[in-house]
Amino acid sequence: MRWSQAYIPTLRDDPANAEAASHRLLQRAGFIRQLSAGHYSMLPLGQRVRRKIDRIIRQEIDGIGGQQFHLPAMHPAELWKKSGRWEIMGEEMFRLVDRKGSDNALGMTHEEVFAELASEISSYKQLPQLWYQIQTKFRDEPRPKSGVLRVREFTMKDSYSLDLTWEGLDEQFDRHHGAYQRIFERFGLEAVDVEASSGAMGGSDSVEFMVRSDAGEDWIVTCPTCDYRANLERATSQVPDVSDPASVPEPQQFATPEIRTIAALADAFPDIAAPDRQIKTLVYMLDGTFTLVLMRGDHALQEQKLQDLTGAVDVRAAQADEIRQRLGALPGSLGAVGVTDHPIIADEALKDRRGLVTGANEDDWHLSNVDVARDIAVGEWADLREVQERERCIVDGGTLDLWKGIEVGHIFKLGTKYSEAMGAIVQDEHGESKPIVMGSYGIGLERSMAAVVEASHDDGGIIWPWEVTPFHVVITLLRQQDEAVVEAGDRLYEELTDAGYEVLLDDRAERPGVKFADAELIGVPYRVTIGPRGLESGVAEFTTRSTMETTEIPLEAVAAHLP
Ligand code: ATP
Ligand code: MG
C-alpha cells in the first residue's frame, strides 16, 4: 500500500477526555473514530488489526475442533424469557419493538440461541460439539469508556461446548484454556488466568484472562509465592484470629450521642469498640427484599460476592426511610440483635465472635457484650469480605498483591441451565434423557486490540506485536522526487511484498520529520528509510520500532533482517 493513497488520518493532538493510552493512540494514529458514546468505526488500519485478531482466534478455536456459525444479532423476546434472562439482564439489554408489536432484544451474548439450535440434537452420539461465532454484541453499558475498551457495540468470539457429561465439559474447558493462552500469546499479550465470579451467566467454574493495566476496570489479587490468582470479586485471604472472652453477660445498651461511624465509635470507646470488635450492619434491598448484611467493623463488603451468593439481580443499598421504617433507627446506630423479621446474612469472620459492639436500632445507642451465636439470628454465613492488599494468601500465607487488569477473555462451565431451559435434551447410551452439559467462552476483539496498545506503546505511539500489526514494515522515502530513491523504494516494496510481508510505502510529499513521527505513531514494527546519500553506497536505515534503534544495512539484506 502506498501511503499517499492510503486513508490514515493521523492527528497531531490527543482527543479531548481520552485518558486511556489505547483510546488516545488508536484515535490519533487513525485506527478508530467515535460515532457516539460507546460506538466506534474501525478505519482501515484498525480493520487490518481486527482481521488479524479474528484470524488468530479462528485458527486456534478451529484447532481445538471448533465449527464456526453466524447467528442473528436480533432475537425474539420469547427466547430470553425461556431462560429467565429477559428480566435478569435489566437495562444492559437493548430492547426494541417491531411493527407487529413484538418485543426483541439485541444479543448481549448467545447462550439462548445456541442452546435453541442444540435442541435439535437428540442422541449422545452427536456429542461432543464445539460451536462458535465471531459476532457483534450489544450492551447498554452504564459507563462506556476508554475508547474501544468498554463500548456498547463490539465484536465477540463466543464459543459453546456441548457434552453429554461433566467430565466431557471439563475436557473441553481445559482445551479452551489452552487455546486462550495461545491466542493471547500470539496477540503479544501477557494474559493472566484468574478465578472469577460467574455473574449473571450462572454456572460453576469461571476463569478470566486479565492483562495488567491501569486502564483496566477489574482488580486482581495474586500471590507472589504460589499460584493463587483471583478477581477481587471472588478472592479470599487469611483473617488473623481475634481473641474474645470465653463468655459474656447479656448485651448492654450504652449511649453514643452523635456517633455514626466505626472509626468514631472506636475513638470514643477504645477499650471495647476497636474496629475488629464491632459489627458493621449494612442494609440492602435484594430484589426488593430488605436484608441485613453483617461484616466485621474493619472489613469491607464485596458486593459481587453478595450478588453471587443470593442470585439477586437488583442489588442496592436500602434508603434511609426504608431503614427507619423497618429497624427504627438510621444508619450509624443499626444492628441485628433481636431482629427476626428480616433475613440476616453474615460474613464468616464474625462466626463464634463474642463481646462485640453493634448498633441498638435506636438512634445514638449501641449494644456491648454481643455474642453473635447467642444474640443474632443469622440465616446464612458466607464469605462476603473484600480482600485488601498485603493480606495473607489463603494457600501459602504469601503477602498478596492487588493490581488492575483488563478482562480480555472469560471461560465458564455453564452446566445445564440453558439446555434445560431450551429443551436441549439427548438420550444417553441407556436411552435415558439427559440435558446437554454446556460451557461458554468469550473473547472481545476490539478490547483485545486496545489491551495490546495499553501493554505496548511509548511516548511516540503504538508498538504493534508482529502477529497483529497492520503492516510489517514501512518503507520511508526521503526525497520522493529523486528518481533513484523512488526506484529503489519500488524495488524493495515488490521484493518484500513477494516474500509475503505487508508493506506500507511512505511516498508522501512530506518532510522526513513528519513521516518518521507518523510511522512511530501508527506503530509498524520496522521502518526502512531510503535516501539519496545511503543509496550511493547501496544501504538503507533500518529502524526497530520497539527500541527505536537504527542501523545501516545493505538494501538487499532488508528481508533477512525481518522476522
Ligand atoms: P466486563 O466485566 O468487563 O463487563 P463481562 O464479564 O461482561 O466483562 P463477558 O460477558 O464475559 O464480559 O464477555 C466476554 C468478553 O467480551 C470479555 O472478556 C471482553 O473481552 C468482551 N467484552 C465484554 N463487554 C465488553 C464491552 N462492553 N466492550 C468491549 N468488550 C467487551
Ligand atoms: Mg459486562
Side-chain angles (χ1 to χ4, degrees), residues 25-43:
L25 291 172
L26 287 170
Q27 182 104 4
R28 264 185 61 204
F31 286 67
I32 60 170
R33 284 295 181 266
Q34 182 177 333
L35 177 64
S36 58
H39 300 267
Y40 281 82
S41 304
M42 283 287 148
L43 306 190

Side-chain angles (χ1 to χ4, degrees), residues 217 385 420:
E217 294 186 78
R385 186 176 53 91
E420 281 171 34

Side-chain angles (χ1 to χ4, degrees), residues 36-204:
S36 58
H39 300 267
Y40 281 82
S41 304
M42 283 287 148
L43 306 190
L45 284 186
Q47 179 62 0
R48 288 182 80 98
V49 174
R50 196 168 155 281
R51 279 178 55 186
K52 290 193 174 179
I53 286 177
D54 180 294
R55 194 171 63 128
I56 290 170
I57 293 175
R58 277 186 287 114
Q59 286 171 346
E60 296 297 339
I61 301 299
D62 289 347
I64 56 168
Q67 304 164 76
Q68 190 170 9
F69 286 57
H70 191 80
L71 273 39
M74 190 166 113
H75 313 155
E78 285 71 54
L79 195 68
W80 287 79
K81 286 180 180 159
K82 268 200 210 169
S83 71
R85 291 207 291 185
W86 179 253
E87 283 79 31
I88 291 178
M89 289 311 197
E91 295 194 308
E92 208 168 322
M93 186 147 82
F94 280 106
R95 297 157 201 257
L96 50 113
V97 180
D98 64 24
R99 64 166 75 195
K100 298 205 181 75
S102 308
D103 284 321
N104 295 277
L106 296 183
M108 312 174 55
T109 173
H110 281 75
E111 279 76 11
E112 280 80 355
V113 186
F114 270 109
E116 172 91 351
L117 287 168
S119 66
E120 215 176 300
I121 297 178
S122 56
S123 161
Y124 74 96
K125 289 183 190 150
Q126 295 164 274
L127 298 177
Q129 290 284 324
L130 173 51
W131 294 353
Y132 80 101
Q133 64 170 344
I134 295 179
Q135 228 271 20
T136 307
K137 305 287 189 235
F138 297 89
R139 296 183 181 185
D140 196 354
E141 296 278 352
R143 280 171 299 280
K145 63 184 279 201
S146 309
V148 293
L149 275 175
R150 183 171 298 281
V151 286
R152 306 206 305 173
E153 174 177 355
F154 62 97
T155 320
M156 198 200 290
K157 183 289 296 171
D158 46 328
S159 23
Y160 304 84
S161 59
L162 310 175
D163 283 273
L164 179 65
T165 63
W166 284 85
E167 292 72 38
L169 168 61
D170 290 345
E171 278 173 33
Q172 295 229 54
F173 186 85
D174 290 346
R175 273 203 289 277
H176 260 89
H177 196 277
Y180 272 41
Q181 277 166 330
R182 289 189 292 279
I183 287 168
F184 294 124
E185 205 178 297
R186 291 181 65 184
F187 291 174
L189 284 175
E190 259 179 63
V192 179
D193 49 339
V194 309
E195 254 182 62
S197 139
S198 308
M201 296 298 221
S204 52

Side-chain angles (χ1 to χ4, degrees), residues 196-465:
S197 139
S198 308
M201 296 298 221
S204 52
D205 284 3
S206 155
V207 171
E208 288 168 340
F209 290 80
M210 292 287 177
V211 175
R212 205 175 183 122
S213 163
D214 285 339
E217 294 186 78
D218 284 270
W219 285 98
I220 312 306
V221 174
T222 49
C223 177
T225 50
C226 80
D227 286 343
Y228 186 72
R229 304 188 283 276
N231 192 307
L232 187 63
E233 293 175 348
R234 168 83 187 210
T236 58
S237 61
Q238 292 184 14
V239 185
D241 281 339
V242 184
S243 72
D244 289 338
S247 71
V248 287
E250 289 297 293
Q252 195 179 346
Q253 196 156 332
F254 62 106
T256 51
E258 304 295 314
I259 291 178
R260 294 287 177 271
T261 64
I262 301 280
L265 191 64
D267 282 348
F269 300 90
D271 297 343
I272 58 164
D276 63 5
R277 306 211 62 82
Q278 294 188 43
I279 301 172
K280 188 190 287 183
T281 306
L282 304 169
V283 196
Y284 274 83
M285 285 296 202
L286 302 178
D287 288 339
T289 302
F290 186 88
T291 306
L292 276 65
V293 180
L294 310 185
M295 304 296 301
R296 201 170 90 179
D298 56 338
H299 290 163
L301 168 70
Q302 166 47 245
E303 247 183 46
Q304 187 66 45
K305 288 185 178 178
L306 181 63
Q307 193 155 5
D308 289 351
L309 174 77
T310 59
V313 176
D314 182 17
V315 174
R316 65 169 175 88
Q319 288 156 8
D321 56 329
E322 293 167 331
I323 298 171
R324 154 91 70 202
Q325 188 195 351
R326 292 174 175 84
L327 295 180
L330 287 175
S333 305
L334 302 178
V337 173
V339 173
T340 50
D341 39 5
H342 306 290
I344 300 173
I345 306 175
D347 180 65
E348 277 157 2
L350 288 173
K351 214 164 200 167
D352 301 323
R353 292 293 312 278
R354 256 181 246 106
L356 304 187
V357 169
T358 189
N361 286 339
E362 197 178 327
D363 287 335
D364 298 331
W365 290 88
H366 277 77
L367 295 173
S368 60
N369 295 335
V370 175
D371 177 329
V372 175
R374 181 191 65 190
D375 303 325
I376 299 180
V378 174
E380 193 165 14
W381 291 96
D383 168 28
L384 297 171
R385 186 176 53 91
E386 182 164 283
V387 168
Q388 308 294 317
E389 192 163 22
R390 311 204 62 72
E391 285 178 351
R392 302 224 158 257
C393 174
I394 38 150
V395 180
D396 73 344
T399 307
L400 294 172
D401 287 329
L402 189 62
W403 47 272
K404 267 179 134 181
I406 300 169
E407 180 202 316
V408 286
H410 196 171
I411 59 180
F412 321 59
K413 294 183 182 172
L414 289 175
T416 57
K417 173 175 167 171
Y418 298 95
S419 43
E420 281 171 34
M422 301 299 156
I425 312 287
V426 294
Q427 306 273 305
D428 70 7
E429 60 268 57
H430 311 297
E432 263 179 60
S433 292
K434 293 271 166 68
I436 293 175
V437 184
M438 292 178 65
S440 117
Y441 316 84
I443 294 181
L445 273 70
E446 297 85 3
R447 185 182 286 184
S448 291
M449 177 191 300
V452 170
V453 178
E454 293 294 339
S456 184
H457 68 270
D458 62 16
D459 290 345
I462 304 169
I463 305 169
W464 288 108

